[in-house]
Amino acid sequence: MTFFIACHPSISKEKFTPGTPEFKGQKLFKDMACDACHSIDGTLNRGPTFKNHYGKEILHTDGSVVIIDEKYIRESIIFPRKFIAEGFPPIMPSYKPVLSDEDIANLIIYIKTLK
Ligand code: HEC
């Protein structure tokens, strides 16, 4: 049996299987330019890095602390101004108009894989 693997230069170093939620989430992460502000390797950028991000506690400018879970990531993408992570400027745009529920679910699955 032969598999045709679509090879995109910017994602070729990752090992997700095309068509899986992880693969779609990774593609969205690049296509939506999340990677312009969020690194996946721990590098400090304009936004928090997503390396080991899932499950971590995050302090907000209002003093509240939340655990990063699916609900929190979803809200951060739809209403980025609701909570602002301490130490970061409130510059993230809302992706409500451009991302479907499924897109966001795929992004969350991808973010969970970043260790
Ligand atoms: C213009 C820069 C920028 C872009 C583009 C951007 N973000 Fe952000 N994002 C930020 C900044 C800065 C913060 C931290 C401040 C805040 O909480 O809003 C943040 C916070 C977040 C958080 C909450 C993280 C935490 O630790 O509290 C999530 C989740 C997130 N972004 C996901 C995304 C996703 C997914 C995309 C692409 C669809 C994206 N961001 C695109 C700048 C950006």
Side-chain angles (χ1 to χ4, degrees):
M1 202 197 234
T2 326
F3 288 98
F4 178 73
I5 312 280
C7 192
H8 187 286
S10 67
I11 52 182
S12 56
K13 62 180 176 348
E14 303 296 342
K15 62 276 163 210
F16 301 123
T17 309
T20 57
E22 293 88 334
F23 184 86
K24 291 181 192 161
Q26 181 185 48
K27 188 169 184 308
L28 282 165
F29 197 77
K30 299 223 157 74
D31 291 352
M32 293 291 149
C34 312
D35 60 352
C37 298
H38 298 282
S39 84
I40 58 167
D41 62 359
T43 314
L44 198 60
N45 203 333
R46 284 182 282 177
T49 181
F50 285 158
K51 183 179 164 65
N52 292 321
H53 192 245
Y54 195 81
K56 218 165 73 178
E57 285 188 344
I58 192 107
L59 173 65
H60 290 131
T61 47
D62 66 358
S64 62
V65 175
V66 290
I67 305 255
I68 293 163
D69 59 7
E70 294 185 14
K71 183 164 166 284
Y72 177 68
I73 296 179
R74 183 173 288 272
E75 284 195 337
S76 295
I77 295 171
I78 298 176
F79 309 111
R81 304 291 156 85
K82 192 169 167 189
F83 296 111
I84 303 300
E86 180 66 43
F88 293 96
I91 53 171
M92 181 167 155
S94 171
Y95 285 86
K96 189 171 163 49
V98 284
L99 294 176
S100 67
D101 272 2
E102 195 196 340
D103 290 339
I104 295 177
N106 289 337
L107 276 165
I108 294 172
I109 291 168
Y110 171 62
I111 290 171
K112 278 182 171 178
T113 69
L114 302 171
K115 296 279 180 259

